[in-house]
Amino acid sequence: MQRYFIYFSYDGANYHGWQVQPNGISVQEKLQTSLSLLLRTPLEIVGAGRTDAGVHARMMVAHFDFDGPVDGQQLAYKLNRILPADISVDRVEPVIPDMHARFSATSRTYHYYIHTRKDPFSRSYSCEMHYQLDFEAMNAAGVYLLTQDDFASFCKAGADVKTTLCHVTAAAWHQMSTHHWYFEITANRFLRNMVRAVVGTLIEVGRGRMTLEEFKQVVADKRRTSAGESMPGHALFLERITY
């Protein structure tokens, strides 16, 4: 059996997240069905991670095993012909047998986009803020995340995880234009709903409703109820994965 990596991207607006589920259409289902059709055998693909409903990916990776030769360039071309317009395959490549789309990844990077005045052209992929934000204070709180390893306060309640430990290596706000910003966070792994909860809590800091010391206490509490609200999913993008 040869293992292959698929590199692809998607607009998550029409999907109930990445993972196959009984009550909604998922990205995994669409890609898996198309791949099985083209290779004429039932196949299961394993993704690098899970994105929630409405969340997008500029870069996602999945692997599958197939007993036979595969022309990666031709397969990518054919997949793009039958997949919906909101899923695009970049390439398909053979990898060594012990490479794993999820467990071999060394880091993942997410971006969360916001705009600070009404913009009809940003509303589908960015979250409009209706108040002034102190980005300097928000970045100070972001720096603090780099010194921590337990992110239980930003994990969705009831999530089935064995550990809430993560190694965050980047957490900062970046300005794209006068009214457009994005938050970039990189870590070796992410908990369910973690990025949206982190951003929601940083917004509390930016609005002056939470001090840096209070933000530190939120992290120390290790309770989801201590942190801010989860931000909407439409403004969140999985940007890249490294191996």
Side-chain angles (χ1 to χ4, degrees):
M1 297 290 282
Q2 173 65 57
R3 177 158 292 182
Y4 296 88
F5 268 24
I6 308 177
Y7 295 82
F8 57 103
S9 57
Y10 56 85
D11 181 325
N14 293 324
Y15 301 99
H16 287 72
W18 156 256
Q19 189 174 19
V20 169
Q21 51 191 285
N23 300 317
I25 301 173
S26 69
V27 179
Q28 184 182 22
E29 176 188 346
K30 287 292 186 182
L31 185 57
Q32 202 161 261
T33 299
S34 299
L35 187 63
S36 298
L37 176 66
L38 289 174
L39 295 180
R40 299 180 180 180
T41 186
L43 290 171
E44 182 176 347
I45 60 175
V46 178
R50 301 174 183 176
T51 54
D52 293 332
V55 176
H56 319 289
R58 294 193 204 277
M59 175 189 179
M60 177 59 115
V61 182
H63 77 247
F64 69 94
D65 298 323
F66 183 68
D67 186 14
V70 170
D71 184 326
Q73 185 173 0
Q74 275 298 307
L75 182 57
Y77 171 78
K78 291 178 180 179
L79 282 169
N80 282 326
R81 292 293 298 271
I82 65 174
L83 281 167
D86 50 15
I87 304 175
S88 175
V89 174
D90 178 48
R91 63 189 190 276
V92 179
E93 296 178 345
V95 296
I96 59 176
D98 60 352
M99 281 290 288
H100 193 285
R102 179 182 175 188
F103 298 123
S104 298
T106 57
S107 74
R108 298 157 175 85
T109 297
Y110 282 88
H111 286 181
Y112 195 91
Y113 293 85
I114 67 170
H115 51 288
T116 55
R117 76 172 181 186
K118 189 174 182 180
D119 181 353
F121 304 109
S122 296
R123 61 189 176 86
S124 296
Y125 302 103
S126 177
C127 187
E128 183 178 345
M129 298 287 105
H130 301 284
Y131 24 72
Q132 293 295 317
L133 295 173
D134 184 343
F135 287 95
E136 186 175 340
M138 293 159 70
N139 273 333
V143 169
Y144 180 71
L145 294 177
L146 308 185
T147 69
Q148 302 303 297
D149 58 11
D150 194 330
F151 291 85
S153 292
F154 307 109
C155 182
K156 186 172 184 177
D160 182 20
V161 293
K162 295 180 180 179
T163 176
T164 52
L165 300 181
C166 305
H167 179 52
V168 175
T169 55
W173 289 91
H174 302 275
Q175 188 170 15
M176 297 184 293
S177 68
T178 304
H179 301 287
H180 294 79
W181 297 72
Y182 70 89
F183 176 66
E184 179 177 85
I185 184 167
T186 301
N188 63 326
R189 64 188 292 266
F190 286 91
L191 307 172
R192 188 174 180 188
N193 207 231
M194 176 175 160
V195 180
R196 291 159 63 189
V198 166
V199 173
T201 311
L202 291 175
I203 293 295
E204 292 292 289
V205 175
R207 294 179 64 183
R209 298 173 59 172
M210 182 183 295
T211 66
L212 178 57
E213 291 306 312
E214 289 171 334
F215 179 83
K216 293 178 179 179
Q217 187 58 50
V218 165
V219 179
D221 285 347
K222 300 179 183 178
R223 294 192 311 245
R224 178 64 187 92
T225 53
S226 296
E229 293 184 4
S230 178
M231 298 293 284
H234 74 278
L236 180 60
F237 286 74
L238 173 58
E239 288 283 329
R240 59 183 175 271
I241 305 166
T242 58
Y243 290 90

